[in-house]
Structure formats: structure tokens, C-alpha cells
Amino acid sequence: MVRVCVIGAGAAGLCAARHLLVEPCVNQLDILEQAPQLGGTWVYTENVGYDDFGLPIHTSMYKSLRTNLPKEIMGFPDFPVPESDKSYLPAKDMLAFLKLYADKHGVTDKIKFRHHVQLVIPKQTPSGELWDVTYKNLTNGAIETKEYDYIFVCNGHYNTPFIPHIPGLKEFKGDVMHSHDYRVPDIFADKRVLVIGAGPSGMDIALELTTVSKKVILSHHLKEQPRTEFPDNLQQKPDVERLEGDKVYFLDGSEDEVDVVFLCTGYMYNFPFLHESCDIVVEENCVEPLYKHVVNMKHPSMCFIGVPYYVCAFSMFDLQVRYYVRSMNGTFSLPTPEQMAEHWEEEKRDRAARGFTRRQAHMMGPDQEKYYASLADEAKTKTLPSVVTKIRDESMIRFFHNLKNYRQDKYKIIDDGTYEIISNGKRE
Ligand code: FAD
């Protein structure tokens, strides 16, 4: 009798549920979701701060968002995003896609909505290690603790803002805001805005602000300057050295005056419901100790879906889930804790040697194909087709160098390794 608890019904949790529901070794599956609907990040709300139950608003979605990857690589390997004339879709279409995915696989009816997981704690029993999960039914206030054999942690990691240390930030005279709370540009009308960070959100939002703001300064430390032609009211600057009053001083010695400091500085992994005896530690945004970024090495009946970033997210979730479920049903055996720890230490040494910082412990980017192959090989399952990573790389290059127009490109997958793009009416 195997009982599984999935925490969260965003893309990762839905994917876990889709596979677990058809897995013969699983007898009971609970999918606990604190929100009243599925979709996690892709659910747009105008609200910021806290919801009606006092929980922090989870989503960081802004109104104008369109995906930064084409829909051709945004789906699941066994369930692509339906055909449409555009490749880059608005968030509401991605949410509709996730609903379709969950409905088609019988997942939606199984989700316990408005169930907030408060505590996960391991316990030793004569039959081995089990888990106690305590959750609150937000509708009636009832708190319950239930026992499980396996835990899938799928709570997302784009919801707890990372606030960098910038001298003078706390005393800054104007407004300070993080992109987690950004919804529409109107609040920045006629303001002088300092956007810190040029990741996908920082670049997109900075460009959007130029339509309403007096001036936008995009401060970043990208090694390569984006070749995107920004409007005249956007200026790029290096990192901020310090803030004083309403003045900002940059590392190149220049200075300026701004009304708003807008932090597009990313997010932190956060697992507030994991008791310390789960032995998961997050330091400098490195989640440890995880084998292949999935398995809790100290308690291998707990897994994490979706930790790596700069990936093809939904496809990777699917592969991680297939990997872990195959370890559950005996298709392969996970290495010993010592072997897993040695593997992780080796990976860390290799990453450090290649210049990755500790904060980039879960960054895949150039390592994607190797990572996918390593999961697939070990679990004797199919890896992701190379066309997926090829399109991702192509799309990211176009994002940085043609931000204004790249979303008009239309992609077509030819086979597992090749694709074509219709850009500006021309086939490439
Ligand atoms: P989430 O979608 O965050 O889902 C986690 C779920 O867990 C939520 O529903 C939450 O309510 C629930 N939960 C959390 N804690 C608890 C608890 N204690 N109890 C019960 N339930 C809980 N990716 C792309 O591939 N392409 C894009 O274009 C793209 N654009 C993005 C734009 C923005 C602004 C952001 C923030 C992210 C974007 N991403 C994009 C990344 C995106 O987050 C992932 O693609 C993916 O949707 C994450 O899914 P997830 O299930 O891991 O997390």
C-alpha cells in the first residue's frame, strides 16, 4: 500500500499527479493545493501582499506577460500545447493549457483545493520511514495530519522575492518594489524608475515601463550587452554601488536621481512547511542535499520537482517525475546515500571549476542536455529530444538581442533534432 502526497498543483504538481495516477504501485494519491484553482504561477491576479486567508500571494504573473519560450517547447512530451498561429502565448493561454492537461488526465477532480500544507515531518516506524503531513482546510479551518509513504514537493520557486544587499536601499526616499508585486505599468506613469536586474522579467518589464515612465534605467551586470534597440527613454547602466536619498550611484562612477527602485532580482527557494528533520537546507539559494536536483538524499522517499532553472520547464518536470516514479516502482534502484552524496559533491566541484557560483547551483542552461540524459539513462526512460534545447537556446538569444520583435517568430518542429522559424515572413 503506497500512499503519496503531492504538494502544489502548478505545472510540476499536475505532471506528478498525471503519472502517479496511472502508476500501479500507487494506491492512494493526495494532491494538496492551497489556492482555489490549479496553475500556480500562471494564475493572474491583481492582488498583491496577502490573500483572504493571510497567505502570501503566490503568483508573480503580470498582466501583459507572454511566454518567453515558444509554445512548441512549452508543453509536456506526451501532451503538446495545441496548435495556434502564434508561438509565444499570453499567460491565460498557458493556464488554459494546464487546465486541459489536468482535465484530460483525470487530475483536476482529485485535487484538494484550498488545502494549505503547514508541516511535513519524517517519522521512523517498524516498517521504515514514513511522513506525517499536516494541512489546513482553508474553507472550514480544519487541521488534519495524515501519513504518507512518499512526498512530492512541487511548491514552485518564483514567489519569495530575493532582495539583494544594496547600501542605502532601506533608507531610499522613493518607492521600492519587487517584480513579484508587479501587475501593470500604470503605477509608474511619469516616474523615473531604476530597474535592477536584466533577467527575463527585468528586460520585459523595463521595456514595458518605457511606454509610461519618464525615464527607465536598467542596471545589470550581463557579460554581453543586449543588442536590443531600446527606446530613447531607457538607459543601461552597470550595477548600483549605493543609494543615497533619491540618488543612485553606479559602479562606473556615474550617478542619477530616481523615484522608484524596482527590483527584478529573482526569487529564493523556500520550503516553509519542511520540518528541520527533513534535513533540507537552503543557503545562497542552493537546496541541499538533493541527488540530481530531485531526491532528498537523507530521506529518499521525498522528491522535489522543478528545482533547476534555465530549462524547458514542463518537459523537465515530466522527465524528473518519470525518473522518480521509476525508482518507486523498482525499474531501477537509487544509489546508496553515500554514492548520491559523492555524485553531488562531484557535480559541485565541476560547476565551481567552470565558474558557477553557489547561487547558481541549480542553473542548467548549457548543462541541460547532459542533465536530461543523465536522468533518463539512470531510470531507463526516454530523454527529451534535442530539438527542445536547441529551440530554447535560439529563443533566448533572440530574446536578448531582439526583445521588441522576437515574439513574432513562429516555430515549427520538423523532427526530434530540427526545426524551422518563420521570422518577418521569411523561413529560416
Ligand atoms: P508554481 O507554478 O509556482 O506552482 C506551485 C503551486 O504550489 C502553486 O499553485 C501554489 O499555490 C502551491 N503551493 C505552494 N505552497 C503550498 C503549500 N504550503 N500548500 C499547498 N499548496 C502550496 N516558464 C517557462 O517555461 N516559460 C515562460 O515563459 C515562463 N514565464 C514565467 C514568467 C513569470 C513572471 C514567472 C514568475 C515564471 C515564469 N516561468 C516560465 C516559470 C514558471 O514558473 C514555470 O514554468 C512553472 O510554471 C512552475 O511550475 P511549478 O509547479 O514548479 O510552480
Side-chain angles (χ1 to χ4, degrees):
M1 165 94 169
V2 169
R3 299 151 302 172
V4 184
C5 178
V6 173
I7 302 170
L14 297 174
C15 181
R18 176 256 179 280
H19 287 281
L20 290 164
L21 273 173
V22 293
E23 175 51 48
C25 82
V26 175
N27 306 88
Q28 190 198 313
L29 174 66
D30 283 338
I31 310 150
L32 305 176
E33 169 54 57
Q34 65 193 9
Q37 63 170 305
L38 59 78
T41 299
W42 298 97
V43 179
Y44 174 76
T45 168
E46 281 175 5
N47 299 338
V48 294
Y50 293 86
D51 68 12
D52 296 344
F53 299 96
L55 298 175
I57 295 284
H58 182 83
T59 187
S60 304
M61 193 49 60
Y62 43 93
K63 198 169 189 176
S64 66
L65 184 129
R66 280 168 71 198
T67 58
N68 53 35
L69 295 177
K71 72 156 200 65
E72 285 73 15
I73 59 160
M74 284 283 300
F76 296 95
D78 58 355
F79 200 83
V81 180
E83 204 32 70
S84 76
D85 55 350
K86 293 193 173 56
S87 278
Y88 295 87
L89 303 180
K92 69 172 177 38
D93 288 6
M94 287 311 299
L95 182 60
F97 167 69
L98 288 176
K99 285 184 175 157
L100 184 70
Y101 176 74
D103 287 349
K104 281 268 153 101
H105 293 100
V107 173
T108 314
D109 293 342
K110 305 267 183 228
I111 302 170
K112 292 187 175 179
F113 290 109
R114 286 267 187 243
H115 279 64
H116 171 62
V117 174
Q118 297 180 320
L119 185 65
V120 178
I121 189 163
K123 64 176 181 187
Q124 299 308 321
T125 73
S127 53
E129 188 170 73
L130 297 174
W131 299 94
D132 270 342
V133 175
T134 302
Y135 50 86
K136 183 176 184 178
N137 178 335
L138 298 169
T139 311
N140 62 17
I143 293 175
E144 199 182 333
T145 298
K146 218 167 146 179
E147 192 178 89
Y148 295 96
D149 300 273
Y150 287 94
I151 304 290
F152 279 64
V153 180
C154 306
N155 66 323
H157 52 86
Y158 293 103
N159 46 75
T160 306
F162 170 67
I163 312 289
H165 172 72
I166 299 174
L169 181 64
K170 279 197 186 119
E171 299 80 26
F172 177 68
K173 276 203 178 139
D175 295 327
V176 178
M177 179 175 165
H178 190 276
S179 55
H180 174 59
D181 294 326
Y182 179 72
R183 300 293 183 260
V184 288
D186 314 26
I187 50 167
F188 296 121
D190 300 324
K191 302 247 165 129
R192 300 165 299 176
V193 187
L194 168 66
V195 176
I196 300 181
S201 295
M203 295 262 287
D204 260 344
I205 297 174
L207 185 61
E208 178 162 88
L209 295 186
T210 58
T211 59
V212 298
S213 302
K214 193 187 289 177
K215 171 157 129 185
V216 178
I217 302 172
L218 178 59
S219 158
H220 64 80
H221 49 251
L222 293 177
K223 285 192 188 109
E224 195 186 345
Q225 199 80 352
R227 289 197 302 271
T228 289
E229 275 177 37
F230 286 112
D232 289 344
N233 61 342
L234 187 148
Q235 209 186 348
Q236 295 186 64
K237 287 279 185 183
D239 280 343
V240 173
E241 193 242 323
R242 68 183 199 281
L243 293 157
E244 256 177 45
D246 63 355
K247 276 201 154 173
V248 48
Y249 296 86
F250 297 96
L251 282 181
D252 62 359
S254 62
E255 57 183 75
D256 217 321
E257 283 177 10
V258 290
D259 305 304
V260 185
V261 174
F262 188 2
L263 303 168
C264 294
T265 42
Y267 296 88
M268 295 188 297
Y269 295 97
N270 193 12
F271 309 100
F273 45 83
L274 294 188
H275 187 265
E276 62 180 28
S277 58
C278 296
D279 293 309
I280 289 296
V281 178
V282 184
E283 267 171 18
E284 289 180 60
N285 231 27
C286 171
V287 187
E288 290 189 285
L290 295 185
Y291 175 60
K292 296 199 173 175
H293 308 262
V294 174
V295 185
N296 180 342
M297 290 181 213
K298 297 275 179 71
H299 307 271
S301 54
M302 168 181 278
C303 73
F304 293 72
I305 305 301
V307 168
Y309 61 95
Y310 292 173
V311 292
C312 302
F314 296 8
S315 293
M316 181 197 71
F317 298 165
D318 190 87
L319 180 53
Q320 288 183 323
V321 170
R322 278 186 282 133
Y323 168 85
Y324 190 73
V325 170
R326 281 167 169 250
S327 78
M328 289 168 63
N329 69 20
T331 305
F332 76 102
S333 299
L334 289 169
T336 63
E338 294 72 28
Q339 288 167 330
M340 290 198 257
E342 179 46 38
H343 184 277
W344 175 226
E345 291 308 318
E346 173 58 33
E347 182 173 342
K348 281 198 290 188
R349 280 193 296 273
D350 173 63
R351 284 176 165 264
R354 288 185 292 133
F356 285 52
T357 64
R358 189 164 161 77
R359 218 182 126 68
Q360 295 168 326
H362 305 293
M363 187 176 94
M364 285 302 155
D367 288 358
Q368 274 183 92
E369 276 205 65
K370 201 170 132 213
Y371 175 62
Y372 301 149
S374 124
L375 287 174
D377 286 352
E378 191 182 356
K380 305 177 185 75
T381 186
K382 211 174 162 202
T383 189
L384 304 181
S386 65
V387 72
V388 170
T389 37
K390 283 182 187 165
I391 291 182
R392 187 186 179 281
D393 292 347
E394 176 81 49
S395 178
M396 288 320 287
I397 291 169
R398 288 170 182 245
F399 172 88
F400 277 107
H401 297 308
N402 187 16
L403 184 61
K404 278 203 282 189
N405 300 315
Y406 90 108
R407 284 188 173 95
Q408 288 160 24
D409 294 346
K410 176 76 178 105
Y411 283 75
K412 184 174 175 206
I413 291 181
I414 308 291
D415 57 39
D416 276 6
T418 48
Y419 62 94
E420 64 180 26
I421 310 175
I422 308 288
S423 184
N424 252 333
K426 285 195 212 115
R427 198 175 298 272
E428 292 182 11

